[in-house]
């Protein structure tokens, strides 16, 4: 029988970090403040961030990493992850062992982050816990740090938003989002963003584009060489505009959001060799918990013109293969 997980307040009292009265008071304030009980108690001055981090580590049965200790600081190796990921998500890699990346995080409930990192680095992640303040202090003291390589995604460090929508337009995105998806002008903010997403994916030899609404953001991922890598997080306020624009381009009903739909986009795109190709995109939309999820499968014309001789057959095996597949019936296994 699985052991039930203790509540954070119980652990704080058991460790002597807080009194039961302080926990009860924080619980009363929690619903109105819309914060976690640990955050409320830190704001009240009842406990410190480190005490909450220690208690969370015990609650989730994770290792606690005290970044004030020299032996923990020496284990940190910033070259194991791209610096943009480290700075954005406030994580610290502390080594690889048995095919697993050991990582210091500050939120044990952020499972989406761990899933994203598994996709990004291609290995399983073993998290340890530290307070956010300690992680930020360490990053501030480490300066620029080392940057790890990352293949095609290293060329895409900048955000898509900044290059597609200037600040003056971005402030009005909420108000203009429905009208901008139908505008003929190529400088409409949502149109520019969607076109940039598609063209960038083609240039980076991606096979799929995933647009996935989450609770507080819209996750954009490309599938490159069979691995999904996170490209950007779009603001939640742009979700309806981006999804509607993609559906409009695919020729499906933008008003229907309750059933899956399939469509097709055909548009000219300049590839990584500087050549313009007309590329087909198979588009699938599917209702999900936080909004419709859309996947674009990129169908490259050059990928279907390989021909049997280029598959690597020896001449005699190719002759046998051709004779077999031209028979009117039977199966070739």
């Amino acid at each position: 029988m699985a052991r039930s997980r203790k509540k954070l307040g119980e652990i704080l009292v058991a460790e002597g970090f807080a009194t039961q009265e302080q926990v009860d008071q924080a619980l009363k304030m929690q619903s109105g403040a819309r914060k976690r009980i640990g955050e409320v108690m830190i704001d009240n001055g009842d406990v410190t961030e480190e005490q909450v981090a220690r208690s969370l580590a015990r609650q989730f049965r994770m290792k606690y990493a005290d970044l004030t200790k020299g032996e923990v600081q020496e284990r940190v190796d910033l070259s194991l992850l791209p610096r943009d990921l480290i700075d954005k998500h406030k994580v610290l890699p502390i080594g690889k062992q048995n095919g697993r990346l050991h990582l210091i995080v500050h939120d044990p409930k952020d499972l989406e982050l761990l899933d994203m990192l598994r996709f990004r680095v291609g290995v399983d992640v073993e998290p340890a816990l530290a307070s956010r303040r300690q992680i930020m202090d360490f990053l501030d003291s480490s300066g620029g740090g080392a940057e790890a390589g990352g293949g095609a995604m290293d060329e895409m460090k900048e955000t898509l938003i900044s290059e597609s929508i200037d600040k003056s337009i971005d402030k009005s995105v909420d108000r203009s989002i429905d009208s901008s998806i139908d505008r003929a002008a190529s400088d409409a903010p949502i149109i520019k963003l969607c076109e940039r997403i598609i063209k960038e994916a083609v240039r980076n030899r991606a096979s799929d584009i995933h647009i996935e609404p989450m609770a507080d953001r819209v996750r954009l991922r490309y599938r490159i060489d069979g691995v999904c890598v996170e490209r950007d997080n779009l603001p939640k306020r742009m979700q309806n505009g981006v999804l509607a624009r993609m559906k409009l381009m695919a020729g499906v009903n933008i008003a229907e959001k309750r059933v899956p739909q399939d469509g097709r986009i055909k548009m000219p795109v300049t590839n990584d060799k500087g050549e313009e190709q007309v590329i087909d995109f198979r588009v699938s939309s599917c209702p999900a918990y936080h909004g419709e999820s859309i996947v674009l499968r990129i169908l490259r014309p050059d990928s279907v013109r390989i021909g049997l001789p280029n598959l690597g057959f020896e001449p005699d095996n190719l002759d046998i293969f051709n004779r077999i597949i031209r028979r009117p019936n039977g199966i070739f296994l």
Side-chain angles (χ1 to χ4, degrees), residues 226-245:
V227 179
C228 272
V229 289
E230 184 165 324
R231 171 61 182 97
D232 209 345
N233 288 305
L234 309 179
K236 187 70 174 177
R237 64 181 180 274
M238 297 177 65
Q239 173 177 318
N240 292 338
V242 170
L243 298 183
R245 176 60 186 170

Side-chain angles (χ1 to χ4, degrees), residues 61-63 94-95 100-105 114 118 123-128:
R61 301 185 181 96
M62 297 170 62
K63 293 181 180 179
I94 52 175
R100 299 168 74 91
L101 176 66
H102 293 261
L103 197 70
I104 298 176
V105 301
L114 299 180
R118 289 187 186 100
V123 297
D124 203 2
V125 175
E126 182 73 31

Side-chain angles (χ1 to χ4, degrees), residues 76 78 81-82 85-93 103-106 113-114 117 135 139:
V76 176
L78 299 181
L81 277 180
L85 278 181
I86 293 173
D87 291 334
K88 180 177 181 180
H89 300 289
K90 302 298 183 289
V91 296
L92 294 175
L103 197 70
I104 298 176
V105 301
H106 62 84
L113 170 62
L114 299 180
L117 290 173
I135 294 176
L139 290 174

